[in-house]
Amino acid sequence: MKKVVAVVGLGLIGGSLAAALRGFEDYEVLGVARRQETVDYALSHSICDRATTDASTALAEADVTFLCTDPSIVIRYMKDYREVFKPGSLVTDVCGIKTAIMEASKVLPDTVDFIGCHPMAGTEFSGIEHSFPELFQRCHFILTPRETSTEAHVDLMHRMADYIGAADVVTTTPERHDDIIAYTSQLMHIVALSVCDDAELFRCKGFEGGSFRDCTRVAALDVPLWRELLTLNSASLTKVIGRLEENIHSYRVALEHRDLERITAKLEYSSNRKRRMNLPGPGQVSAEWLEEK
Amino acid sequence: MKKVVAVVGLGLIGGSLAAALRGFEDYEVLGVARRQETVDYALSHSICDRATTDASTALAEADVTFLCTDPSIVIRYMKDYREVFKPGSLVTDVCGIKTAIMEASKVLPDTVDFIGCHPMAGTEFSGIEHSFPELFQRCHFILTPRETSTEAHVDLMHRMADYIGAADVVTTTPERHDDIIAYTSQLMHIVALSVCDDAELFRCKGFEGGSFRDCTRVAALDVPLWRELLTLNSASLTKVIGRLEENIHSYRVALEHRDLERITAKLEYSSNRKRRMNLPGPGQVSAEWLEEK
């Protein structure tokens, strides 16, 4: 009999993950959605092998459960279904924050393993209609295992990451994840939103190039999801926003003073950092080596 | 006999433009570069019909001259070659600033027309090796004609824009161009550079997703070119940087206060602005309509 990987929540990420996991080893992909409409869509678009609105029955037979909903719903799910998850099974998630999720996972019984997961992939769209199995191609696949997580489960996560096309698997602690993601992901959203707040926005139609489209792309975000991500990580995020404010301000001062020497030095410094950041890695190049280069 | 369009400066933009213009009406594309090496590259890669290092001879026979160099060199070129441009010909450029260029073009004799031009296209790379004829596909093609520019020349610019694949032609004043471009282009570069100035940059390898790559892409910029663009437009640019600082700061304050209601309202506001900005236009949708929507 085939093993079962349940994907709970068939939105952009869940739908894409289910579709990407189809055919993985001897697993069958079982989608779980709240609405029958989503189940029908998933089946008619071959996103899952099976799909249902009956979460209890699905979780009871799942060897692996991916919780692909907003953080608050992941947290509630673990609490509400704690007795339902199959003993010996692995529960995991895809949330963009990890400390609150790992903390909430403590509600699970000892018979159920939990590994935090964050595939660094997404688009500015939401919903199963926007899902596609190639979403995870070349993404970083971040894991925050428990100290007690079994080697077999960690290994299984690696094989799934590989199967869906991830570039690499990065293992870290939930605290470090949240600290870094405040910078690499959440700050980028704050910047995109803030750029769109400019009073001149709509008067600039016809004058946008690639840099504007790229920088503001993610501003068209899913408000309920991002409200949770940003507020659950506000301590790290406000620090990194403060640092960006200083760095932007420093460029403004140099330009106000028309200090050509300083502007040139700053442009050399920043653009070289970006070029070094573009070098191959991680694993191949360490942060220390990049700093020194 | 064929007419001649000369492209002076065969870098990323010049090389791409020359290649994109090949076959346009009854024009022959004549590339002009300082180094013989660039001329050889252009010819062996079919970037131009002809190419030379002899600017004087080229300009004397050109019916249209595109100056595709850094702004300071465009300015010097018009001065140094003012007597060389063919009488009745059109001179134009591709610079990301227009006021200083239009001002400098006054040095040209009355027999030569000048139309400022800024195709909103580019990449973070420079040099003829990175040029490609599709660069201008779907870009906005901005024109700042003189009051005295002939209808025939303006019309010719429109036909070339269309031929190289531009989405539309936007005609404006040099002052308005520089004001708006400070926001849609230069500010995006300041943001990308400032994000890369964060002390944590290199420690974040393995945690980047699409939003980080998109926002910072343009930070790997051409320093001599951007030093000129930024300083020649510093009055407009410092204003718009100040506005962004305020908008980012406002997000930080809302997050520091953990003011959920305010954060939700801000996310709704900003993301809706981005969605409205993504609607079709310009021409189809006015700034006023977007503001009111």
Side-chain angles (χ1 to χ4, degrees):
Chain A
M1 209 176 97
K2 280 204 158 194
K3 289 181 199 149
V4 172
V5 51
V7 178
V8 178
L10 297 171
L12 171 71
I13 306 292
S16 298
L17 184 65
L21 279 173
R22 285 197 68 191
F24 171 67
E25 294 181 0
D26 53 340
Y27 283 84
E28 191 179 28
V29 178
L30 170 54
V32 181
R34 267 180 307 184
R35 296 184 306 147
Q36 185 59 41
E37 204 184 327
T38 311
V39 165
D40 295 342
Y41 187 99
L43 292 174
S44 64
H45 289 76
S46 303
I47 286 170
C48 309
D49 295 308
R50 285 189 287 140
T52 177
T53 57
D54 178 1
S56 295
T57 309
L59 298 186
E61 66 166 316
D63 301 283
V64 182
T65 300
F66 265 101
L67 299 174
C68 302
T69 64
D70 289 2
S72 63
I73 300 173
V74 169
I75 290 167
R76 209 181 59 212
Y77 230 89
M78 291 194 285
K79 195 161 155 265
D80 291 353
Y81 292 89
R82 63 184 299 278
E83 301 297 348
V84 179
F85 293 107
K86 183 172 166 182
S89 74
L90 168 65
V91 179
T92 179
D93 75 314
V94 294
C95 286
I97 46 130
K98 294 272 71 87
T99 309
I101 297 291
M102 295 308 289
E103 189 58 35
S105 79
K106 291 180 180 163
V107 78
L108 296 172
D110 290 346
T111 51
V112 174
D113 197 0
F114 186 86
I115 296 179
C117 174
H118 180 196
M120 294 290 294
T123 74
E124 65 275 31
F125 303 105
S126 0
I128 194 166
E129 307 80 5
H130 293 112
S131 67
F132 57 103
E134 298 82 6
L135 179 61
F136 307 99
Q137 293 292 326
R138 288 180 297 283
C139 80
H140 298 301
F141 197 85
I142 307 178
L143 297 183
T144 59
R146 288 174 170 177
E147 273 185 33
T148 57
S149 290
T150 69
E151 211 182 300
H153 284 153
V154 172
D155 195 57
L156 174 62
M157 293 297 283
H158 275 78
R159 296 199 309 276
M160 288 194 286
D162 189 51
Y163 186 75
I164 66 174
D168 48 28
V169 175
V170 179
T171 303
T172 188
T173 62
E175 294 77 18
R176 179 153 184 266
H177 169 276
D178 290 0
D179 250 13
I180 294 186
I181 245 56
Y183 170 55
T184 60
S185 168
Q186 299 182 335
L187 183 65
M188 302 306 108
H189 288 74
I190 295 292
V191 164
L193 294 159
S194 301
V195 167
C196 291
D197 282 354
D198 195 282
E200 294 302 312
L201 177 70
F202 300 128
R203 273 162 238 289
C204 296
K205 279 211 108 151
F207 294 83
E208 323 95 285
S211 62
F212 185 85
R213 282 186 289 265
D214 282 359
C215 176
T216 60
R217 178 178 60 82
V218 293
L221 45 70
D222 175 341
V223 175
L225 169 64
W226 280 91
R227 175 182 51 193
E228 291 190 13
L229 293 174
L230 301 179
T231 51
L232 282 167
N233 201 25
S234 61
S236 292
L237 181 54
T238 51
K239 261 184 257 169
V240 81
I241 296 176
R243 299 206 301 264
L244 180 64
E245 284 177 62
E246 280 172 32
N247 288 329
I248 291 178
H249 184 73
S250 158
Y251 262 106
R252 174 152 67 94
V253 170
L255 285 161
E256 274 169 356
H257 292 175
R258 294 169 186 261
D259 183 344
L260 244 183
E261 207 173 308
R262 176 144 180 71
I263 291 166
T264 307
K266 282 179 73 61
L267 291 176
E268 295 279 7
Y269 175 80
S270 314
S271 64
N272 277 334
R273 286 175 71 82
K274 173 58 179 168
R275 283 191 197 93
R276 291 203 295 280
M277 188 66 179
N278 286 348
L279 293 174
Q284 295 180 59
V285 181
S286 74
E288 288 69 27
W289 186 86
L290 286 168
E291 291 284 1
E292 284 157 17
K293 209 180 167 256
Chain B
M1 210 176 98
K2 280 203 158 197
K3 289 181 199 151
V4 173
V5 51
V7 177
V8 177
L10 296 172
L12 171 71
I13 306 291
S16 299
L17 184 66
L21 279 173
R22 285 196 69 190
F24 172 68
E25 296 182 359
D26 55 340
Y27 282 84
E28 190 179 28
V29 178
L30 169 55
V32 180
R34 266 179 309 183
R35 296 184 306 146
Q36 186 58 41
E37 206 184 326
T38 311
V39 165
D40 295 342
Y41 187 98
L43 291 174
S44 65
H45 289 76
S46 303
I47 287 170
C48 310
D49 295 308
R50 285 190 287 141
T52 177
T53 58
D54 178 1
S56 295
T57 308
L59 299 186
E61 66 166 317
D63 301 283
V64 182
T65 301
F66 265 102
L67 299 173
C68 302
T69 64
D70 289 2
S72 63
I73 300 173
V74 169
I75 291 166
R76 209 181 58 212
Y77 231 88
M78 292 194 284
K79 196 160 153 266
D80 290 354
Y81 292 89
R82 62 185 299 277
E83 302 297 350
V84 180
F85 293 107
K86 183 173 167 181
S89 75
L90 169 65
V91 179
T92 178
D93 75 314
V94 294
C95 286
I97 45 130
K98 293 271 72 88
T99 310
I101 298 290
M102 295 307 289
E103 189 58 34
S105 79
K106 291 180 180 163
V107 77
L108 296 172
D110 290 346
T111 51
V112 173
D113 196 359
F114 186 86
I115 297 178
C117 174
H118 180 197
M120 294 290 295
T123 73
E124 66 276 31
F125 303 104
S126 0
I128 194 166
E129 306 80 6
H130 293 111
S131 67
F132 56 104
E134 298 82 7
L135 179 62
F136 307 99
Q137 293 292 327
R138 288 180 297 284
C139 80
H140 298 300
F141 197 84
I142 307 178
L143 297 184
T144 59
R146 289 174 171 176
E147 275 184 33
T148 57
S149 290
T150 69
E151 210 182 300
H153 284 152
V154 172
D155 194 58
L156 173 62
M157 292 298 284
H158 275 77
R159 296 200 310 277
M160 288 194 286
D162 189 53
Y163 186 77
I164 67 174
D168 48 29
V169 175
V170 179
T171 303
T172 188
T173 63
E175 295 77 18
R176 179 153 183 267
H177 169 276
D178 290 359
D179 250 13
I180 294 186
I181 246 56
Y183 170 55
T184 59
S185 168
Q186 300 182 335
L187 183 65
M188 303 305 107
H189 289 74
I190 295 292
V191 164
L193 294 160
S194 301
V195 167
C196 290
D197 282 355
D198 195 283
E200 295 302 312
L201 176 70
F202 299 128
R203 274 163 238 291
C204 296
K205 278 213 107 151
F207 294 84
E208 322 96 285
S211 61
F212 186 84
R213 281 186 289 265
D214 281 0
C215 175
T216 61
R217 178 179 60 82
V218 293
L221 46 69
D222 175 341
V223 175
L225 169 64
W226 280 91
R227 175 182 52 192
E228 292 190 14
L229 293 174
L230 301 179
T231 51
L232 283 168
N233 201 25
S234 60
S236 292
L237 180 54
T238 51
K239 262 185 256 168
V240 81
I241 296 176
R243 299 206 303 262
L244 180 64
E245 283 178 63
E246 280 172 31
N247 288 329
I248 291 178
H249 184 73
S250 159
Y251 262 106
R252 175 152 68 92
V253 170
L255 284 161
E256 273 169 357
H257 292 175
R258 294 169 186 261
D259 183 344
L260 245 184
E261 205 173 310
R262 174 141 181 73
I263 291 166
T264 308
K266 281 179 73 61
L267 291 176
E268 295 279 8
Y269 175 80
S270 314
S271 64
N272 277 334
R273 286 175 70 82
K274 173 59 179 167
R275 283 192 196 92
R276 291 203 295 280
M277 188 64 180
N278 286 348
L279 294 174
Q284 296 181 59
V285 182
S286 74
E288 289 69 27
W289 186 85
L290 287 167
E291 290 285 0
E292 284 158 16
K293 208 177 166 257

